[in-house]
Short mmCIF file of all heavy atoms in Angstrom, two decimals:
data_model
loop_
_atom_site.label_atom_id
_atom_site.label_comp_id
_atom_site.label_asym_id
_atom_site.label_seq_id
_atom_site.Cartn_x
_atom_site.Cartn_y
_atom_site.Cartn_z
N LEU A 1290 72.89 50.11 104.29
CA LEU A 1290 72.77 49.55 105.64
C LEU A 1290 71.42 48.81 105.73
O LEU A 1290 70.41 49.26 105.34
CB LEU A 1290 72.75 50.73 106.64
CG LEU A 1290 72.48 50.38 108.09
CD1 LEU A 1290 73.61 49.50 108.73
CD2 LEU A 1290 72.34 51.66 108.93
N LEU A 1291 71.50 47.61 106.29
CA LEU A 1291 70.35 46.76 106.58
C LEU A 1291 70.22 46.58 108.08
O LEU A 1291 71.10 46.09 108.74
CB LEU A 1291 70.42 45.37 105.95
CG LEU A 1291 69.30 44.38 106.26
CD1 LEU A 1291 68.03 44.90 105.68
CD2 LEU A 1291 69.60 42.98 105.82
N LEU A 1292 69.10 47.06 108.63
CA LEU A 1292 68.86 46.99 110.05
C LEU A 1292 67.66 46.04 110.29
O LEU A 1292 66.62 46.18 109.67
CB LEU A 1292 68.57 48.37 110.58
CG LEU A 1292 69.75 49.23 110.86
CD1 LEU A 1292 69.39 50.72 110.81
CD2 LEU A 1292 70.32 48.92 112.23
N SER A 1293 67.83 45.11 111.21
CA SER A 1293 66.75 44.20 111.58
C SER A 1293 67.06 43.68 112.93
O SER A 1293 68.14 44.01 113.55
CB SER A 1293 66.57 43.08 110.57
OG SER A 1293 65.39 42.40 110.75
N LEU A 1316 61.61 37.35 103.94
CA LEU A 1316 62.49 38.45 103.52
C LEU A 1316 63.89 38.18 104.01
O LEU A 1316 64.89 38.39 103.30
CB LEU A 1316 61.95 39.77 104.03
CG LEU A 1316 62.64 41.05 103.50
CD1 LEU A 1316 62.77 41.04 101.99
CD2 LEU A 1316 61.93 42.23 104.04
N ALA A 1382 61.64 48.32 115.90
CA ALA A 1382 61.28 48.89 114.62
C ALA A 1382 61.58 50.40 114.64
O ALA A 1382 62.17 50.96 113.66
CB ALA A 1382 59.75 48.68 114.37
N GLY A 1384 63.66 51.91 116.69
CA GLY A 1384 65.12 52.07 116.87
C GLY A 1384 65.93 51.79 115.58
O GLY A 1384 66.96 52.43 115.35
N ALA A 1385 65.43 50.91 114.73
CA ALA A 1385 66.03 50.72 113.46
C ALA A 1385 66.00 51.96 112.60
O ALA A 1385 66.99 52.38 112.02
CB ALA A 1385 65.32 49.58 112.68
N CYS A 1386 64.83 52.62 112.63
CA CYS A 1386 64.70 53.85 111.78
C CYS A 1386 65.55 54.98 112.27
O CYS A 1386 66.21 55.69 111.53
CB CYS A 1386 63.21 54.23 111.72
SG CYS A 1386 62.83 55.37 110.42
N THR A 1387 65.57 55.19 113.58
CA THR A 1387 66.42 56.30 114.12
C THR A 1387 67.87 56.02 113.96
O THR A 1387 68.68 56.89 113.63
CB THR A 1387 66.10 56.59 115.63
OG1 THR A 1387 66.26 55.40 116.38
CG2 THR A 1387 64.66 57.00 115.74
N ALA A 1389 69.15 54.19 111.53
CA ALA A 1389 69.41 54.32 110.09
C ALA A 1389 69.58 55.80 109.76
O ALA A 1389 70.48 56.16 108.97
CB ALA A 1389 68.25 53.77 109.30
N ALA A 1401 69.62 53.16 103.57
CA ALA A 1401 69.38 52.15 104.50
C ALA A 1401 67.96 51.51 104.29
O ALA A 1401 67.08 52.21 103.86
CB ALA A 1401 69.47 52.64 105.96
N PHE A 1402 67.88 50.25 104.67
CA PHE A 1402 66.55 49.55 104.71
C PHE A 1402 66.35 48.94 106.07
O PHE A 1402 67.25 48.24 106.56
CB PHE A 1402 66.46 48.48 103.62
CG PHE A 1402 65.08 47.87 103.52
CD1 PHE A 1402 64.06 48.51 102.84
CD2 PHE A 1402 64.81 46.64 104.20
CE1 PHE A 1402 62.82 47.89 102.78
CE2 PHE A 1402 63.57 46.07 104.15
CZ PHE A 1402 62.55 46.70 103.46
N CYS A 1403 65.19 49.15 106.67
CA CYS A 1403 64.86 48.60 107.95
C CYS A 1403 63.90 47.48 107.75
O CYS A 1403 62.70 47.65 107.40
CB CYS A 1403 64.26 49.67 108.85
SG CYS A 1403 65.33 51.11 109.10
N ALA A 1404 64.35 46.21 107.89
CA ALA A 1404 63.53 45.02 107.75
C ALA A 1404 62.94 44.74 109.15
O ALA A 1404 63.49 43.91 109.87
CB ALA A 1404 64.36 43.89 107.20
N VAL A 1405 61.82 45.36 109.39
CA VAL A 1405 61.26 45.29 110.79
C VAL A 1405 59.71 45.12 110.69
O VAL A 1405 59.12 45.33 109.66
CB VAL A 1405 61.61 46.62 111.51
CG1 VAL A 1405 63.07 46.69 111.81
CG2 VAL A 1405 61.08 47.81 110.80
N ARG A 1406 59.20 44.80 111.76
CA ARG A 1406 57.75 44.69 111.97
C ARG A 1406 57.52 44.82 113.51
O ARG A 1406 58.44 44.48 114.29
CB ARG A 1406 57.10 43.45 111.38
CG ARG A 1406 57.76 42.16 111.77
CD ARG A 1406 57.11 40.98 111.12
NE ARG A 1406 55.73 40.76 111.55
CZ ARG A 1406 55.40 40.12 112.67
NH1 ARG A 1406 56.29 39.66 113.49
NH2 ARG A 1406 54.12 39.91 112.99
N THR A 1425 56.63 54.78 113.10
CA THR A 1425 58.08 54.54 112.91
C THR A 1425 58.77 55.60 112.02
O THR A 1425 59.78 56.21 112.39
CB THR A 1425 58.27 53.12 112.32
OG1 THR A 1425 57.71 52.18 113.15
CG2 THR A 1425 59.76 52.87 112.13
N VAL A 1568 66.32 56.67 103.71
CA VAL A 1568 66.05 55.58 104.70
C VAL A 1568 64.68 55.02 104.44
O VAL A 1568 63.72 55.74 104.40
CB VAL A 1568 66.13 56.12 106.10
CG1 VAL A 1568 65.64 55.06 107.11
CG2 VAL A 1568 67.57 56.54 106.48
N ALA A 1569 64.60 53.72 104.22
CA ALA A 1569 63.34 53.02 103.97
C ALA A 1569 63.03 52.08 105.10
O ALA A 1569 63.90 51.43 105.66
CB ALA A 1569 63.34 52.30 102.65
N SER A 1570 61.77 51.95 105.42
CA SER A 1570 61.28 51.06 106.47
C SER A 1570 60.12 50.22 105.98
O SER A 1570 59.21 50.78 105.37
CB SER A 1570 60.92 51.82 107.77
OG SER A 1570 60.65 50.90 108.82
N LEU A 1571 60.10 48.90 106.22
CA LEU A 1571 59.09 48.07 105.77
C LEU A 1571 57.74 48.39 106.38
O LEU A 1571 57.56 48.53 107.57
CB LEU A 1571 59.42 46.61 106.06
CG LEU A 1571 58.46 45.51 105.60
CD1 LEU A 1571 58.36 45.48 104.09
CD2 LEU A 1571 58.87 44.14 106.19
N GLU A 1572 56.73 48.49 105.49
CA GLU A 1572 55.36 48.65 105.94
C GLU A 1572 54.55 47.37 105.54
O GLU A 1572 54.85 46.27 106.11
CB GLU A 1572 54.76 49.92 105.34
CG GLU A 1572 55.45 51.17 105.76
CD GLU A 1572 55.14 51.72 107.15
OE1 GLU A 1572 54.38 51.06 107.92
OE2 GLU A 1572 55.60 52.81 107.50
#
Side-chain angles (χ1 to χ4, degrees):
L1290 174 66
L1291 176 67
L1292 281 152
S1293 192
L1316 186 53
C1386 196
T1387 56
F1402 184 82
C1403 303
V1405 293
R1406 52 184 294 278
T1425 303
V1568 171
S1570 186
L1571 181 64
E1572 300 282 4

